[in-house]
Amino acid sequence: MFSHPGAVGRLNLGLGSSDDFMMLVFQSNQPQETEMQALKYGVHAMVWFNVLLAGWLSLHMLYDPEGWYYFVPGVTDTGFFNQHFIRDIGIIQGFIALAFAIGAFRIDRRVELWAAATLWLIAHAVFHFWEVAVGICSASVLARDFPAVSLPAIFGIAATIWACAQSRSAAASLKVSQLSI
Protein backbone atom coordinates (compact mmCIF):
# COMPACT_ATOMS: atom_id res chain seq x y z
CA MET A 1 0.00 0.00 0.00
CA PHE A 2 1.18 3.50 -0.84
CA SER A 3 -0.07 6.37 1.28
CA HIS A 4 0.59 10.07 0.99
CA PRO A 5 -0.28 12.68 3.65
CA GLY A 6 -2.08 14.79 1.03
CA ALA A 7 -4.18 11.90 -0.25
CA VAL A 8 -7.67 11.24 1.04
CA GLY A 9 -7.41 7.47 0.92
CA ARG A 10 -4.85 4.80 0.18
CA LEU A 11 -3.79 3.71 -3.26
CA ASN A 12 -2.73 0.18 -4.00
CA LEU A 13 -0.30 0.68 -6.87
CA GLY A 14 -0.80 -2.89 -8.04
CA LEU A 15 -4.57 -2.73 -8.36
CA GLY A 16 -5.52 0.98 -8.45
CA SER A 17 -6.85 2.59 -11.58
CA SER A 18 -5.22 5.50 -13.37
CA ASP A 19 -8.06 7.72 -12.08
CA ASP A 20 -7.06 6.81 -8.52
CA PHE A 21 -3.47 7.71 -9.29
CA MET A 22 -4.41 11.06 -10.86
CA MET A 23 -6.59 11.86 -7.83
CA LEU A 24 -3.60 11.13 -5.56
CA VAL A 25 -1.29 13.35 -7.61
CA PHE A 26 -3.83 16.19 -7.81
CA GLN A 27 -4.61 16.09 -4.11
CA SER A 28 -0.97 15.89 -3.06
CA ASN A 29 -0.10 19.00 -5.12
CA GLN A 30 -2.88 21.16 -3.66
CA PRO A 31 -1.14 21.92 -0.33
CA GLN A 32 2.10 22.74 -2.14
CA GLU A 33 0.29 25.11 -4.52
CA THR A 34 -1.47 26.80 -1.60
CA GLU A 35 1.83 27.20 0.24
CA MET A 36 3.45 28.65 -2.89
CA GLN A 37 0.60 31.17 -3.27
CA ALA A 38 0.93 32.17 0.39
CA LEU A 39 4.69 32.60 -0.08
CA LYS A 40 4.11 34.71 -3.20
CA TYR A 41 1.67 36.98 -1.36
CA GLY A 42 4.08 37.27 1.57
CA VAL A 43 6.95 38.26 -0.72
CA HIS A 44 4.80 40.80 -2.50
CA ALA A 45 3.72 42.25 0.88
CA MET A 46 7.40 42.69 1.77
CA VAL A 47 8.08 44.30 -1.61
CA TRP A 48 5.19 46.74 -1.27
CA PHE A 49 6.33 47.60 2.27
CA ASN A 50 9.66 48.60 0.73
CA VAL A 51 7.95 50.52 -2.08
CA LEU A 52 5.77 52.49 0.32
CA LEU A 53 8.53 53.20 2.83
CA ALA A 54 11.13 54.19 0.23
CA GLY A 55 8.55 56.20 -1.71
CA TRP A 56 7.47 58.09 1.40
CA LEU A 57 11.09 58.71 2.42
CA SER A 58 11.91 59.93 -1.07
CA LEU A 59 9.02 62.36 -1.25
CA HIS A 60 9.55 63.66 2.29
CA MET A 61 13.32 64.06 1.84
CA LEU A 62 12.97 65.81 -1.52
CA TYR A 63 10.00 68.03 -0.68
CA ASP A 64 10.82 68.91 2.95
CA PRO A 65 14.37 67.88 3.88
CA GLU A 66 14.41 69.97 7.06
CA GLY A 67 11.06 68.59 8.18
CA TRP A 68 12.37 65.06 7.54
CA TYR A 69 15.57 65.86 9.48
CA TYR A 70 13.63 66.81 12.60
CA PHE A 71 10.84 64.23 12.17
CA VAL A 72 12.87 60.99 11.99
CA PRO A 73 14.12 59.91 15.43
CA GLY A 74 17.88 59.93 15.81
CA VAL A 75 18.73 61.83 12.63
CA THR A 76 19.61 65.00 14.51
CA ASP A 77 22.15 62.97 16.54
CA THR A 78 24.11 62.04 13.40
CA GLY A 79 25.27 65.51 12.36
CA PHE A 80 24.18 68.94 11.25
CA PHE A 81 21.31 69.53 8.82
CA ASN A 82 22.48 69.34 5.19
CA GLN A 83 19.60 69.72 2.75
CA HIS A 84 21.75 68.73 -0.24
CA PHE A 85 22.81 65.44 1.37
CA ILE A 86 19.26 64.65 2.51
CA ARG A 87 17.92 65.28 -1.00
CA ASP A 88 20.67 63.07 -2.47
CA ILE A 89 19.51 60.22 -0.24
CA GLY A 90 15.89 61.07 -1.16
CA ILE A 91 16.75 60.48 -4.82
CA ILE A 92 18.29 57.11 -3.92
CA GLN A 93 15.15 56.18 -1.96
CA GLY A 94 13.08 57.10 -5.02
CA PHE A 95 15.13 54.76 -7.18
CA ILE A 96 14.72 52.00 -4.58
CA ALA A 97 10.94 52.48 -4.57
CA LEU A 98 10.85 52.42 -8.37
CA ALA A 99 13.07 49.33 -8.60
CA PHE A 100 10.85 47.32 -6.27
CA ALA A 101 7.64 48.61 -7.88
CA ILE A 102 8.77 47.96 -11.46
CA GLY A 103 10.13 44.55 -10.46
CA ALA A 104 6.72 43.63 -9.05
CA PHE A 105 5.28 43.94 -12.58
CA ARG A 106 8.26 43.17 -14.83
CA ILE A 107 9.05 39.55 -14.01
CA ASP A 108 11.77 39.46 -16.68
CA ARG A 109 13.69 42.24 -14.85
CA ARG A 110 12.69 41.45 -11.28
CA VAL A 111 15.92 39.80 -10.10
CA GLU A 112 18.17 42.61 -11.34
CA LEU A 113 15.93 45.41 -10.05
CA TRP A 114 15.32 43.90 -6.63
CA ALA A 115 18.97 42.85 -6.22
CA ALA A 116 20.26 46.34 -7.04
CA ALA A 117 17.84 48.01 -4.60
CA THR A 118 18.60 45.40 -1.96
CA LEU A 119 22.36 45.95 -2.24
CA TRP A 120 21.92 49.58 -1.22
CA LEU A 121 19.57 48.61 1.61
CA ILE A 122 22.12 46.06 2.87
CA ALA A 123 24.95 48.61 2.69
CA HIS A 124 22.83 51.12 4.63
CA ALA A 125 22.00 48.57 7.33
CA VAL A 126 25.65 47.43 7.59
CA PHE A 127 26.70 51.07 7.97
CA HIS A 128 24.33 51.42 10.93
CA PHE A 129 25.87 48.29 12.52
CA TRP A 130 29.36 49.67 11.86
CA GLU A 131 28.48 52.93 13.67
CA VAL A 132 27.56 50.86 16.73
CA ALA A 133 30.66 48.65 16.40
CA VAL A 134 33.08 51.60 16.40
CA GLY A 135 31.27 53.45 19.19
CA ILE A 136 29.64 56.27 17.22
CA CYS A 137 26.18 55.16 18.39
CA SER A 138 24.91 52.98 21.21
CA ALA A 139 23.43 49.57 20.48
CA SER A 140 19.97 50.90 21.35
CA VAL A 141 19.82 52.70 17.98
CA LEU A 142 19.69 49.34 16.18
CA ALA A 143 16.30 48.58 17.72
CA ARG A 144 15.07 52.13 17.10
CA ASP A 145 16.21 52.07 13.46
CA PHE A 146 15.20 48.45 12.75
CA PRO A 147 11.81 49.13 11.04
CA ALA A 148 13.25 51.67 8.60
CA VAL A 149 16.81 50.36 8.14
CA SER A 150 17.30 46.64 8.79
CA LEU A 151 13.78 45.40 8.02
CA PRO A 152 13.73 46.75 4.44
CA ALA A 153 17.12 45.09 3.84
CA ILE A 154 15.84 41.76 5.23
CA PHE A 155 12.69 42.06 3.11
CA GLY A 156 14.81 42.86 0.05
CA ILE A 157 17.05 39.84 0.64
CA ALA A 158 14.04 37.53 1.04
CA ALA A 159 12.29 38.94 -2.03
CA THR A 160 15.42 38.73 -4.19
CA ILE A 161 16.12 35.13 -3.14
CA TRP A 162 12.50 34.25 -3.94
CA ALA A 163 12.75 36.02 -7.32
CA CYS A 164 15.95 34.09 -8.13
CA ALA A 165 14.25 30.80 -7.28
CA GLN A 166 11.24 31.72 -9.42
CA SER A 167 13.51 32.71 -12.29
CA ARG A 168 15.39 29.39 -12.12
CA SER A 169 12.12 27.48 -11.94
CA ALA A 170 10.76 29.33 -14.98
CA ALA A 171 13.98 28.72 -16.91
CA ALA A 172 13.88 25.01 -16.08
CA SER A 173 10.22 24.78 -17.16
CA LEU A 174 11.04 26.54 -20.42
CA LYS A 175 13.92 24.15 -21.06
CA VAL A 176 11.68 21.13 -20.44
CA SER A 177 8.95 22.49 -22.71
CA GLN A 178 11.48 23.13 -25.48
CA LEU A 179 12.73 19.54 -25.20
CA SER A 180 9.21 18.16 -25.66
CA ILE A 181 8.61 20.09 -28.90
Side-chain angles (χ1 to χ4, degrees):
M1 284 283 213
F2 173 79
S3 179
H4 187 279
V8 173
R10 293 183 180 267
L11 174 66
N12 182 333
L13 290 178
L15 301 174
S17 71
S18 61
D19 290 339
D20 290 338
F21 181 73
M22 291 308 293
M23 183 63 98
L24 173 71
V25 171
F26 177 73
Q27 289 174 348
S28 66
N29 286 338
Q30 283 180 335
Q32 184 180 13
E33 290 173 22
T34 303
E35 291 165 4
M36 294 304 288
Q37 278 298 109
L39 181 60
K40 177 182 174 182
Y41 291 137
V43 167
H44 281 274
M46 290 186 273
V47 166
W48 287 105
F49 173 88
N50 281 358
V51 169
L52 293 173
L53 178 64
W56 175 81
L57 287 169
S58 177
L59 292 174
H60 199 177
M61 294 169 100
L62 291 170
Y63 177 72
D64 183 17
E66 190 172 9
W68 176 86
Y69 177 78
Y70 289 108
F71 176 75
V72 177
V75 172
T76 57
D77 299 333
T78 63
F80 296 109
F81 170 72
N82 180 333
Q83 67 85 23
H84 179 95
F85 179 72
I86 292 171
R87 284 190 167 121
D88 283 345
I89 302 302
I91 292 168
I92 292 168
Q93 291 290 349
F95 280 120
I96 290 169
L98 284 172
F100 278 110
I102 293 168
F105 297 103
R106 290 287 312 267
I107 297 170
D108 59 323
R109 294 288 173 228
R110 180 175 287 166
V111 172
E112 297 91 344
L113 289 166
W114 289 359
T118 299
L119 284 174
W120 191 89
L121 292 171
I122 291 169
H124 183 217
V126 168
F127 179 68
H128 278 246
F129 278 95
W130 175 82
E131 287 183 317
V132 170
V134 299
I136 295 171
C137 300
S138 70
S140 65
V141 302
L142 296 176
R144 179 197 66 205
D145 297 345
F146 181 81
V149 177
S150 299
L151 189 60
I154 292 167
F155 283 176
I157 292 166
T160 303
I161 290 170
W162 177 83
C164 287
Q166 293 299 306
S167 178
R168 285 190 193 123
S169 176
S173 295
L174 180 62
K175 190 174 183 179
V176 168
S177 68
Q178 287 174 344
L179 290 175
S180 64
I181 293 177

